[in-house]
Amino acid sequence: MIDLTPHGDIAVLRLQHGKANALDIELCQAVTKQLEAFRQSTSKALIVTGAGKMFSAGVDLVRLSKDGAAYVRAFLPAMNSMFETLFSLLKPVVAAVNGHAIAGGCIIACAADHRVMAEGGGRIGIPELLVGVPFPVVPLEIMRFAAARHVSSLAYTGATFSADEALKQGLVDAVVRAGALHEQAMAAAQAMAAIPPTAFALTKRQLREPVLERMHVGSAIDAIVENAWASDETLATIRAYVARTLKRS
């Protein structure tokens, strides 16, 4: 499902869950557990990447549409916890975007401190509204932090972008040859790991604390969001989107 491997002072967390690294409750819980292990470890920085040609295709909509409202109400808190745990890590985090990073996959990447994307490696974006679901507070706040100037258009259009286009949109910080992705991500992680850890942690905390505070006061909105995701109308919309997408593919 996932692999957390140390490479000297740098840990690499690799998603390898099915063909698309789609987010389900088990994957979210497993990632959160490994992030907590990394937090407590002696590793100085983390690289998050995917296996094969996929970073993450986002929420497993097929399972969500099949398992219905009860699953939604268990899944959303697990997903939000994973995003918040990643975003709140006070050690350096680099996202090595090796392939498609769609919806929740884009959120994972944008929770990192530095994002490197492979040329021709796929597309990245947040098409949640095209699926028919509203944003929970945590992922929307992560997007607001990572791509503030473009977040409205990213959310409203649901557009996805190639690596070069993503660089212009502020979704990634660097675009590299696919064969150089790991090397460039490792170099970025090592550069940040070389910063005195207390100085890095305090600066990152100051940068992100206002965002974390907004996440924590958003529980009332998240209750509404959860009800919307779990509604018969939204689940029907998701099923229709899945049917169209699978037919097209």
Side-chain angles (χ1 to χ4, degrees):
M1 186 174 292
I2 56 174
D3 177 51
L4 183 66
T5 306
H7 294 264
D9 288 337
I10 311 301
V12 177
L13 190 155
R14 190 178 306 276
L15 304 175
Q16 41 191 18
H17 185 47
K19 293 181 179 180
N21 290 325
L23 303 179
D24 57 21
I25 191 168
E26 291 83 8
L27 180 59
C28 290
Q29 291 172 340
V31 170
T32 301
K33 182 178 179 179
Q34 292 291 358
L35 292 174
E36 291 293 356
F38 165 74
R39 192 197 302 272
Q40 301 297 325
S41 75
T42 58
S43 296
K44 294 182 178 180
L46 178 70
I47 295 173
V48 180
T49 192
K53 298 181 179 180
M54 184 69 70
F55 185 77
S56 173
V59 173
D60 186 344
L61 296 175
V62 173
R63 178 168 176 190
L64 187 143
S65 63
K66 286 182 178 178
D67 290 357
Y71 176 77
V72 168
R73 295 189 187 280
F75 167 73
L76 284 180
M79 181 186 73
N80 287 333
S81 178
M82 176 191 67
F83 289 148
E84 184 176 346
T85 301
L86 179 59
F87 186 78
S88 66
L89 289 175
L90 293 182
K91 298 179 185 180
V93 179
V94 174
V97 184
N98 58 298
H100 294 303
I102 306 300
C106 180
I107 306 300
I108 291 174
C110 286
D113 300 294
H114 185 78
R115 299 175 293 282
V116 185
M117 188 170 182
E119 291 177 337
R123 302 184 71 81
I124 184 170
I126 46 171
E128 276 82 348
L129 293 187
L130 301 185
V131 177
V133 295
F135 287 85
V137 171
V138 171
L140 190 57
E141 288 296 341
I142 289 173
M143 291 307 304
R144 197 196 311 273
F145 177 83
R149 189 160 63 91
H150 300 286
V151 68
S152 294
S153 62
L154 291 170
Y156 291 151
T157 66
T160 60
F161 303 93
S162 67
D164 288 337
E165 294 167 332
L167 185 63
K168 296 175 184 177
Q169 295 289 328
L171 289 172
V172 299
D173 299 298
V175 175
V176 300
R177 292 181 297 104
L181 179 65
H182 178 76
E183 178 184 349
Q184 292 298 316
M186 186 64 69
Q190 289 171 337
M192 286 192 288
I195 299 170
T198 299
F200 184 92
L202 286 172
T203 300
K204 183 171 180 177
R205 179 178 176 180
Q206 289 177 82
L207 288 169
R208 298 193 173 211
E209 203 161 65
V211 183
L212 291 165
E213 289 175 358
R214 290 198 299 271
M215 291 177 184
H216 295 160
V217 300
S219 58
I221 295 175
D222 263 347
I224 299 171
V225 169
E226 183 177 299
N227 287 336
W229 277 61
S231 71
D232 291 341
E233 178 183 3
T234 298
L235 289 170
T237 301
I238 293 171
R239 292 185 188 104
Y241 177 86
V242 168
R244 291 195 308 272
T245 303
L246 290 179
K247 183 177 180 180
R248 190 167 61 245
S249 62

